[in-house]
Amino acid sequence: EVQLAESGGGMVQPGGSLRLSCVESESTFGSSGLSWVRQAPGKGLEWVSYTSRDGRSTLYLDSVKGRFSAFVDNAQNTLYLQLNNLEIEDTAMYYCAKNGPGAFRPLVSRADFRYWGQGTQVTVSS
């Protein structure tokens, strides 16, 4: 059973930073890449980033390019998402997900990914 556990969310002011973490259970560690997906209140699921297992390939949602950075630490079975210069529009529940679609696209559904974490809340407010 794949287990993904996110942490690191919180409340920050616009322009602030956070670092999210997603720990993948050792028994499920494998070659599949990992993703961050977010859902703002009243909106659909946005695919924020995909990172290959070797960390050499990362794809980002256009609205977060240059502000967010995703990277993996394979020794710790952990995926990170560094969020810089946060905007109010970044307020959302952020999920770690695995085994998703083959082609990166902005909007996804729950059924598009086989495995999900429980999520961590990011709130950007002045």
Side-chain angles (χ1 to χ4, degrees):
E1 179 84 16
V2 175
Q3 293 182 344
L4 303 170
E6 306 94 331
S7 62
M11 180 178 290
V12 297
Q13 294 184 337
S17 297
L18 285 171
R19 177 174 289 188
L20 309 183
S21 300
C22 170
V23 178
E24 183 181 19
S25 58
E26 186 174 359
S27 64
T28 65
F29 183 79
S31 60
S32 297
L34 290 169
S35 296
W36 288 100
V37 180
R38 70 183 181 184
Q39 186 166 31
K43 296 189 177 181
L45 291 164
E46 284 187 310
W47 194 353
V48 175
S49 72
Y50 166 84
T51 301
S52 61
R53 177 58 69 181
D54 63 9
R56 293 181 180 179
S57 177
T58 304
L59 303 172
Y60 295 100
L61 182 69
D62 283 349
S63 62
V64 308
K65 287 179 180 177
R67 301 188 298 118
F68 290 8
S69 177
F71 53 98
V72 295
D73 181 342
N74 287 317
Q76 300 295 325
N77 292 351
T78 303
L79 170 72
Y80 296 97
L81 185 66
Q82 179 67 38
L83 296 75
N84 295 328
N85 195 20
L86 280 160
E87 302 172 354
I88 291 176
E89 293 74 22
D90 295 317
T91 295
M93 183 71 79
Y94 285 71
Y95 298 94
C96 182
K98 185 178 179 180
N99 289 24
F104 190 82
R105 62 180 188 265
L107 296 178
V108 294
S109 68
R110 275 275 174 178
D112 284 327
F113 289 84
R114 182 173 181 184
Y115 302 108
W116 292 82
Q118 82 287 350
T120 186
Q121 178 69 38
V122 172
T123 302
V124 185
S125 176
S126 56

